[in-house]
Amino acid sequence: MSVAVGFVPTDEGRAALAAAIDEAVLRGTDLRILGPGFADNTEQAQTELAGLLERAQAAGITTNVRHMVGNDDPGDLIVDVSYEDDVELVVIGVRRRSRVGKLILGSTAQRVILEAGCAVHAVKPPVGPRN
């Protein structure tokens, strides 16, 4: 079995990947990382990803990274992977939204939550101190 996670180099993406590593450790499963996409695949993103991969490997988790190519739609890719036989959980990062923004969760997150073939764990990044 495995846990799949969509990764982009944002606070939401980092929170999702950290939560996915924790879930893989708890479940004793492999970790599939989807992303970053072509536009987000910068040197900084690769450095962040390498650091998180080291954390996963230190925890004894086997990882597999699948970079999105060209015009791959992240939502389609995540939903498709969620239907593979060995995927038991998908982890995605979501943004905090205003009241109006909550009506429209976000196209990718909303699609994954509604269309996934397995359980979805939606993760918000930590909040800084409030004034």
Side-chain angles (χ1 to χ4, degrees), residues 104-118:
I104 307 167
L105 179 61
S107 59
T108 300
Q110 185 175 19
R111 281 186 44 229
V112 171
I113 290 168
L114 295 175
E115 297 176 16
C118 64

Side-chain angles (χ1 to χ4, degrees), residues 20-78:
I21 291 168
D22 293 343
E23 285 290 339
V25 169
L26 279 171
R27 296 165 185 263
T29 63
D30 295 341
L31 179 62
R32 288 188 186 183
I33 301 166
L34 311 171
F38 181 75
D40 295 319
N41 197 6
T42 63
E43 187 174 326
Q44 179 181 349
Q46 288 302 312
T47 301
E48 287 181 34
L49 185 56
L52 289 162
L53 287 172
E54 285 178 22
R55 177 179 165 216
Q57 290 169 347
I61 299 301
T62 301
T63 59
N64 179 298
V65 179
R66 178 175 170 186
H67 293 282
M68 290 181 240
V69 281
N71 293 327
D72 276 353
D73 180 85
D76 287 344
L77 180 60
I78 294 168

Side-chain angles (χ1 to χ4, degrees), residues 94-107 109-110:
V94 295
R95 288 183 234 140
R96 297 179 186 284
R97 300 214 176 250
S98 67
R99 289 182 185 177
V100 173
K102 288 178 183 175
L103 292 173
I104 307 167
L105 179 61
S107 59
Q110 185 175 19

